[in-house]
């Protein structure tokens, strides 16, 4: 991130809320109010890559759509580059790009070159700049050699790179990436991450939603973990990891574990949390977070006495461990950034 944490945010959300009224039944319909986003507040600074993580239905995409003017907030305010998303949507749209995962948004029977020329017209790119801008972006995303082929013959990874090129045509200062690597193979996902990292280096402010923890850890300067429409934690990847486990993570694959064994683990003095994953067979994977690597390793083995342990490893905590702990507990662990707290955003 360039000029880290400049004084004026590129994006500022204050108590954003979005509700929906769902109709149930036909003869005697009833209506239910669903809160997709509840009083979300945060700031994103120029040149920063900001991540929004959370389970399906957590409110990530709804938040992005409010920020890029596709949805009006039910309450609260948001400003992008100083413009209110509800009062000045045209000014906001001129300055942002939006890239989403999936196959929609491109014309299959047109070539990549023709797709970008068409969207350049829609985005108001001056005619004298269109050809050079399209060539520049196709080169940036690695599609120069396939520029004149129909998009219908493109792989998913190539389509996604073309989506990014489309979102950058008008040189946006803010780019929203909504699960851009969804369904990509590892090679295509790596190329996508490289492109996003280059954009950050060029000073583009990026908001990224993803389900891939390694991707968020590699790309994001700061991350907000969202669950049930609420921000549960906000901080750098290292702050989030440290908030749930400052020592060691022990993973044990066992057979025959029951609640008695889990209680023994949770009662250990150096244990901060235990996650349980059932496999398709009779094995259970226990992820134990705690302090003092050698000590906790010994304590876990002792607590699981009588069980068959087929695998036992120790490692440093990852962002995935932090995510599981925060979303699983439903409580904020305290890893917040003072500059982006609700008080600072007002």
């Amino acid at each position: 991130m360039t000029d880290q944490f400049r004084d004026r945010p590129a994006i500022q959300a204050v108590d954003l809320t979005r509700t929906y009224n769902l109709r149930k039944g036909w003869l005697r319909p009833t209506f239910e109010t669903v809160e997709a986003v509840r009083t979300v507040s945060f700031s994103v600074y120029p040149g920063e890559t900001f991540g929004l993580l959370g389970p399906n239905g957590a409110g990530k995409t709804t938040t992005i759509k409010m920020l890029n003017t596709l949805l009006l907030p039910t309450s609260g305010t948001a400003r992008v580059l100083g413009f209110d998303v509800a009062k000045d949507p045209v000014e906001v749209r001129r300055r942002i790009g939006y890239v989403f995962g999936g196959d929609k948004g491109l014309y299959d029977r047109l070539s990549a070159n023709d797709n970008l020329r068409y969207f350049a017209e829609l985005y108001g790119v001056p005619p004298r700049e269109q050809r050079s801008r399209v060539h520049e972006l196709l080169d940036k995303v690695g599609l120069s050699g396939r520029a004149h082929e129909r998009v219908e013959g493109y792989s998913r990874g190539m389509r996604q790179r073309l989506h990014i090129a489309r979102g950058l045509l008008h040189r946006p200062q803010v780019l929203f990436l909504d699960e851009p690597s969804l369904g990509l193979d590892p090679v295509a996902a790596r190329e996508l991450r490289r492109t996003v990292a280059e954009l950050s280096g060029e000073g583009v402010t990026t908001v990224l939603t993803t389900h891939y923890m390694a991707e968020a850890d590699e790309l994001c300067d700061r991350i907000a973990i969202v669950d049930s429409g609420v921000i549960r934690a906000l901080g750098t990847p290292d702050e989030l990891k440290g908030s749930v486990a400052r020592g060691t993570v022990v993973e044990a694959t066992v057979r025959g574990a029951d609640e008695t064994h889990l209680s023994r683990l949770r009662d250990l003095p150096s244990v901060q949390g235990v996650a349980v994953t059932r496999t398709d067979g009779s094995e259970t994977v226990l992820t134990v977070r705690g302090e003092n690597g050698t000590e906790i390793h010994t304590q876990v083995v002792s607590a699981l006495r009588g069980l068959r342990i087929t695998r036992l490893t120790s490692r440093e905590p990852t962002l995935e461990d932090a995510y599981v702990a925060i979303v699983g507990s439903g409580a904020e662990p305290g890893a917040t950034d003072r500059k982006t707290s609700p008080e600072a955003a007002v």
Side-chain angles (χ1 to χ4, degrees):
M1 177 173 46
T2 59
D3 294 331
Q4 187 175 26
F5 296 142
R6 296 175 188 170
D7 292 336
R8 185 176 180 182
I11 300 172
Q12 190 172 47
V14 181
D15 294 335
L16 274 185
T17 300
R18 175 70 188 192
T19 61
Y20 296 93
N21 292 320
L22 297 183
R23 173 175 172 157
K24 295 184 177 181
W26 292 99
L27 295 177
R28 295 182 178 179
T30 59
F31 293 88
E32 177 185 355
T33 299
V34 176
E35 291 183 308
V37 175
R38 296 183 286 160
T39 61
V40 163
S41 297
F42 61 88
S43 295
V44 183
Y45 291 83
E48 184 177 18
T49 299
F50 186 86
L52 285 173
L53 304 184
N56 291 328
K60 307 183 300 297
T61 297
T62 300
T63 299
I64 280 188
K65 286 185 174 181
M66 286 190 285
L67 294 175
N68 64 25
T69 77
L70 293 180
L71 285 176
L72 282 173
T74 304
S75 64
T77 61
R79 303 181 74 84
V80 177
L81 299 170
F83 295 97
D84 190 289
V85 297
K87 298 176 181 178
D88 302 301
V90 174
E91 295 299 329
V92 172
R93 290 170 188 169
R94 286 175 177 166
R95 293 163 173 82
I96 65 172
Y98 180 35
V99 177
F100 48 88
D103 296 327
K104 295 181 180 180
L106 298 171
Y107 291 94
D108 283 357
R109 296 190 178 184
L110 295 181
S111 67
N113 186 77
D114 290 339
N115 263 279
L116 294 186
R117 291 290 296 273
Y118 171 72
F119 284 111
E121 287 283 349
L122 294 184
Y123 291 166
V125 178
R128 64 182 179 277
E129 298 179 12
Q130 289 180 10
R131 185 181 298 275
S132 61
R133 183 61 177 160
V134 167
H135 177 76
E136 175 189 344
L137 288 173
L138 287 172
D139 185 59
K140 175 184 283 290
V141 299
L143 292 176
S144 295
R146 310 285 293 272
H148 298 287
E149 296 181 20
R150 286 187 176 184
V151 171
E152 63 186 359
Y154 277 19
S155 67
R156 191 181 184 102
M158 294 169 65
R159 286 171 176 264
Q160 205 57 31
R161 282 183 275 159
L162 187 57
H163 272 299
I164 291 179
R166 187 200 66 186
L168 294 172
L169 276 166
H170 55 306
R171 303 183 190 276
Q173 295 168 260
V174 175
L175 183 65
F176 295 96
L177 299 172
D178 193 5
E179 299 188 31
S181 55
L182 183 66
L184 297 187
D185 63 78
V187 174
R190 176 181 292 180
E191 293 174 349
L192 180 67
R193 292 195 299 272
R194 175 183 54 80
T195 302
V196 174
E198 289 174 355
L199 292 174
S200 178
E202 295 168 6
V204 177
T205 303
T206 305
V207 178
L208 169 73
T209 73
T210 181
H211 286 295
Y212 302 116
M213 299 297 114
E215 179 175 86
D217 197 0
E218 177 182 342
L219 294 176
C220 295
D221 298 296
R222 288 181 304 133
I223 293 169
I225 296 181
V226 183
D227 187 26
S228 301
V230 177
I231 291 181
R232 302 292 183 188
L234 195 158
T236 67
D238 286 342
E239 286 172 345
L240 293 176
K241 297 172 197 175
S243 69
V244 296
R246 293 178 176 83
T248 301
V249 175
V250 176
E251 284 188 343
T253 303
V254 301
R255 294 180 181 272
D258 56 26
E259 190 56 40
T260 301
H261 299 96
L262 297 181
S263 296
R264 285 184 199 163
L265 288 175
R266 295 188 180 108
D267 290 341
L268 293 175
S270 58
V271 167
Q272 299 170 341
V274 179
V276 181
T277 305
R278 306 288 180 183
T279 65
D280 294 335
S282 59
E283 292 185 329
T284 302
V285 179
L286 305 175
T287 304
V288 184
R289 306 183 309 277
E291 300 177 352
N292 301 325
T294 303
E295 180 179 342
I296 191 173
H297 193 282
T298 303
Q299 290 179 354
V300 168
V301 172
S302 177
L304 296 177
R305 63 183 180 277
L307 296 179
R308 181 183 175 187
I309 302 175
T310 58
R311 182 171 176 269
L312 185 68
T313 60
S314 300
R315 57 175 172 78
E316 293 295 314
T318 65
L319 185 60
E320 183 174 336
D321 296 320
Y323 173 86
V324 171
I326 293 165
V327 172
S329 68
E332 184 175 338
T336 55
D337 187 304
R338 208 159 45 103
K339 293 196 68 170
T340 54
S341 65
E343 293 79 11
V346 175

